[in-house]
Amino acid sequence: MTPFEQLGLQKSLLDAITDLGFEKPSEVQEKAIPILLEDHTDLVALAQTGTGKTAAFGFPLIQRIDPSSRTTQGLILSPTRELCLQITNEIQAYAKYEKGLNTVAIYGGASIQDQARQIQRGAQIVVATPGRMKDMIGRGMVDISKIDYCVLDEADEMLNMGFFEDIQDILSNTPKEKATWLFSATMPKEVSIIAKKFMNSPQEITVGTKNSGASTVQHEYYVAGGRDRYPVLKRLADTHPDIFSVIFCRTKRDTQKVAENLIEDGYNAGALHGDLSQNQRDLVMNAFRKKQIQMLVATDVAARGIDVDDITHVINYQLPDEIETYNHRSGRTGRAGKSGTSMVIVTRSEMRKIKAIENKIQKKFIAKDIPTGMEICEIQLYHLVNKIKETEVNADVESYLPAINEMLEGIDKETLIQKIVSVEFGRFFNYYNKARDLNSSDKRDRGERREEGGSKNYSGDGSVRYFINIGEKDGYDWMSLKDFLRDTVNLGKDDIFKVDVKDSFAFFNSESHTQEAILNTFKDLKVDGRFVNVEVSNNPIGGGGVHRGGSGKFKGGRGRSGGGGYKGKESRGSKGFGSSKGSRDRSETKGGRSRDGGKSYGSSPFSENKKSKRRNGFM
Ligand code: ADP
Ligand code: MG
């Protein structure tokens, strides 16, 4: 008997399991399946993400359902559309040899009429998000009054997302005698309330954290200055040339920005957040699944649905507000028994959050140094050499060999290797050569930084750099701040330059002869009842910086089907994403901007190197 047979599963399911390549049940499957097959019972199962919960309820559900009746017999509630679709796909795969069994997904953001029609055709199993389910019950489009089984999947997530009342409403439309199976990664109060209120002395199983998927996750943190998050992110990515990761930001705006910057810098990146249309999100997720996107930048809410195996790294670009959220984030890696790493970019002042998380997850973080430029070069170099070694020889090359041999005549093997590696590696080396140390030391924690490899044209030109206490928060981007300064101080068209707007403050340069006028104007100037304060910055650097105003539209939108849209090369050349303001911003901040309005970003050493690097297959 196979291990799955021992659990009491029927032949048709065993055949499907063989097709799926599952060799033995996971712990939660081993524990849940026999219980659910034998008894008509309620069940509470606690298991981390990636432990195989879908099959734990899916197999017994399929086996218990009568496919010859078209009545809806099983309802699975799940927090997001993504998960809903995922579960539906899994169930359909498990049920491939069950004749007449229909599983239908219903979720928001798609035609409710289409979904209603699918249900009308007969759906023994309905997988739904709570919101759409409630909607369809209200409109009489679905009948769940005769279900025998209700599964609450990712119950903690659903409650986190505020679905308590919807769930309550939905359950009140179901028969009392049904069995309720609740699956959850954690057991917060709200979940136990649901269990108490809606379940009859449920059996309980817990899958030990020891064997759970999430236990294979290593947690690391990197201490950096708050303004260095982006360059640190790039270094973390460059240290792992085969990275396949989800990067979590706190806001939609940061998510969009980080993704845009990565795309522009030539990474295969994409954004996932609530401001994108459902269609855009689907495209991004598909590209991610196909690994055309290596770095998926996401908000917590949008990432709830991400259920992709093989994610090597979760990067916390910023820590979440809630400790619990960290758990959900890191659970995106280390799935299905694979190992993974959860990295946190943290500032000194956030260090106590790390302690709090350690207490919560009962695991220690490893303090890591931010890799230096030279370390990255070394990694990339060996990666390149290894890639050359592993590359299969293209048979078509053969006919050119005589000519090539002739061209390379007289060069010994040693030199040839050096040359080949240098062709690829030179640009990379140039980018990181002399890059500064990003590890946060206390004294370097405040103030503006120059983006590494960025513009070198800081004010050795006799101009003065200023700090001003208004920024993006106050509604300024570099253009509007420049206008504001020119109008307020009454300066000429080109007198303000190297404007770099941060969240709550900004920097700009002006020629020294305007210093008196600027400082006098802002001596006690109030704007909107607030003092606007301008000081000469003791940091002489201008240009650089990665912050940009103007969020622009989702980038890389075109060509996504082929994945090409994620190449920095293309997004750089493409016109029309974002507003014109957005593209001017880009030239401002990508380094190399000159006073005349910044046409030079394309030739900045920064972008050029990055792009060449990708084009030459470093990643
Ligand atoms: P969870 O719901 O606990 O997060 P899933 O049910 O989504 O986990 O399963 C995670 C992955 O593991 C899926 O890709 C699934 O196909 C796979 N999987 C589930 N059970 C097994 C098994 N017994 N053997 C191998 N892979 C499995
Ligand atoms: Mg699941």
Side-chain angles (χ1 to χ4, degrees), residues 579-591:
S579 57
S580 61
K581 190 182 77 197
S583 38
R584 276 196 282 183
D585 284 348
R586 200 161 44 251
S587 56
E588 151 75 359
T589 52
K590 273 302 158 189

Side-chain angles (χ1 to χ4, degrees), residues 53-54 153-154:
K53 292 192 287 293
T54 318
D153 191 27
E154 310 260 354

